[in-house]
């Protein structure tokens, strides 16, 4: 997380803004606090795009998608102000690094941990697809590792399955993150199915256990041609033998050759159990390995009364000492300093994705 800039808003809707969480293609994301000090991630359209009707429509569709999807593996929708200037939306603030940040800092996951992670993400995709929505941008940067397990975030590129009557993306325009896009998505085909998200999950799992992309080398148009060429196979070097068959099927060039989300989920669960550990044990190990104790959130002065909750006295912070009686009556009360929050979270929450 980063400290606010002078030009940043101090209030968005009902939320007091205390820091910057990151930015995506069309939005800036802030850390906000509700009147009861609940943390939320607040996304607003970037200033240069405020006059772009297509971006406003896409933003509104993101709100619709967030209201539609649900489940333990999806960031919870909190509110939106589409008629405000700038328009905004808010989801729960999730404590934890992205999967990409974790792998970059701590290295690849072992097989059992990756299998449970993949099964949980398959659960999330199942809920998303049941709601009639494709994510279209599943990748390590859009997976947050919280104390409750992984959460799928950023529905800015999501679309309704088989929705040909309402299409924001221009025909022939490629959308998504190239390194995790299926061949049909690279070719900008419009009739995408759940198998497109299955491919992205396979690419994400391959990254989680190897720490590198499927197609090493140059990106851009060269990478797009390699992904869309059925002769060029993704590089699964380093993927453990227990996972390589399943991941290879998930990355099949033809969408119909890929397994369904439920098949992926069940095979990953079976693979995790083959380690001799219970799923509950592996899940606890995964959470312990990938999550850290959440830092405190800055509390507004009006909510900082340590006597507000008489229970758990030993867990309450010491009361702030009163000012000396000799202090001038005109002295202004101290301002709340949230710079410590930015310093503690800067490296952990810097993200290159929208949410």
């Amino acid at each position: 997380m980063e400290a606010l800039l002078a030009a940043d808003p101090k209030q968005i809707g009902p939320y007091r803004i205390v820091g910057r969480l990151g930015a995506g293609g069309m939005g800036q994301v802030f850390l906000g606090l509700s009147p009861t000090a609940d943390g939320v991630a607040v996304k607003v359209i970037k200033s240069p795009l405020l006059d772009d009707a297509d971006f406003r429509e896409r933003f509104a569709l993101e709100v619709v998608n967030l209201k539609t999807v649900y489940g333990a593996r999806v960031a919870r929708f909190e509110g939106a102000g589409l008629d405000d200037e700038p328009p905004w939306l808010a989801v729960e603030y999730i404590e934890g690094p992205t999967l990409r940040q974790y792998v970059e800092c701590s290295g690849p996951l072992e097989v059992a941990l990756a299998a449970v992670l993949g099964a949980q993400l398959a659960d999330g995709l199942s809920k998303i697809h049941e709601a009639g929505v494709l994510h279209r941008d599943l990748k390590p940067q859009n997976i947050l590792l919280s104390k409750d397990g992984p959460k799928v975030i950023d529905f800015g590129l999501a679309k309704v399955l088989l929705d040909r009557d309402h299409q924001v993306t221009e025909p022939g325009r490629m959308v998504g993150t190239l390194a995790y896009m299926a061949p049909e998505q690279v070719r900008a085909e419009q009739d995408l199915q759940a198998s497109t998200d299955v491919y992205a999950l396979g690419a994400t799992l391959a990254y989680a256990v190897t720490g590198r992309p499927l197609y090493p080398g140059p990106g851009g148009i060269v990478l797009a041609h390699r992904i869309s060429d059925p002769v060029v196979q993704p590089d699964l070097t380093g993927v453990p033998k227990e996972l390589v068959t399943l991941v290879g099927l998930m990355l099949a060039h033809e969408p119909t050759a890929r397994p369904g989300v439920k098949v992926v989920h069940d095979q990953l669960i079976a693979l995790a159990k083959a380690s001799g550990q219970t799923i509950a044990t592996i899940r606890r190990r995964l959470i312990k390995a990938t999550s850290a104790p959440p830092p405190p959130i800055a509390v507004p002065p009006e909510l900082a009364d340590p006597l507000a909750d008489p229970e758990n006295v030993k867990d309450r912070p010491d009361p702030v000492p009163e000012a000396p009686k000799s202090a001038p009556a005109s002295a202004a009360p101290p301002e709340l300093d949230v710079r410590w929050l930015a310093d503690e979270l800067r490296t952990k929450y810097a993200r290159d994705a929208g949410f």
Side-chain angles (χ1 to χ4, degrees), residues 39-166:
V40 295
V42 185
K43 182 176 181 179
V44 298
I45 297 179
K46 291 181 177 179
S47 297
L49 302 174
L50 286 174
D51 295 329
D52 190 316
D54 287 340
F55 276 103
R56 281 183 174 266
E57 185 176 5
R58 185 179 296 283
F59 196 78
L61 286 176
E62 182 173 359
V63 171
V64 171
N65 289 328
L66 284 168
K67 288 181 177 180
T68 302
V69 299
Y70 65 94
R73 300 293 142 234
V74 179
R76 183 182 66 251
F77 176 74
E78 289 289 344
L82 295 178
D83 295 327
D84 293 350
E85 291 297 334
W88 59 272
L89 65 85
V91 298
E92 65 175 314
Y93 175 55
I94 300 168
E95 312 271 7
T98 66
L99 176 58
R100 177 174 175 174
Q101 289 171 337
Y102 175 80
V103 172
E104 286 180 342
C105 294
S106 303
L109 292 171
E110 64 175 79
V111 172
L113 299 186
V116 168
L117 173 73
Q120 290 176 310
L121 293 173
D123 279 340
L125 284 182
S126 179
K127 293 289 188 181
I128 293 169
H129 296 164
E130 285 174 7
V133 174
L134 282 180
H135 191 280
R136 294 203 303 176
D137 200 22
L138 186 70
K139 57 185 177 182
Q141 301 94 304
N142 281 343
I143 297 166
L144 285 174
L145 303 174
S146 76
K147 59 183 177 60
D148 298 315
K151 300 268 191 177
V152 178
I153 60 172
D154 197 346
F155 285 76
L157 295 181
K159 66 170 289 187
V160 178
L161 280 163
L162 299 178
D163 183 8
R164 296 185 178 88
D165 296 328
H166 191 86

Side-chain angles (χ1 to χ4, degrees), residues 220-285:
I221 192 65
V222 174
L223 177 56
H225 282 308
R226 295 180 70 192
I227 295 173
S228 59
D229 186 348
V231 176
V232 180
Q233 297 297 311
D235 184 0
L236 298 183
T237 303
V239 175
K241 64 180 186 302
E242 301 93 329
L243 274 171
V244 71
T245 299
L246 177 59
V247 170
L249 289 172
M250 296 169 71
L251 298 173
H253 190 86
E254 290 299 324
T256 55
R258 298 170 203 152
V261 174
K262 186 179 186 308
V263 172
V264 170
H265 171 272
D266 292 348
Q267 290 196 19
L268 288 171
I269 290 292
L271 192 156
K273 288 181 177 178
S275 68
Q277 307 168 75
T278 66
I279 298 300
T281 297
I282 300 172
R283 175 177 170 141
R284 285 193 295 270
R285 290 182 56 220

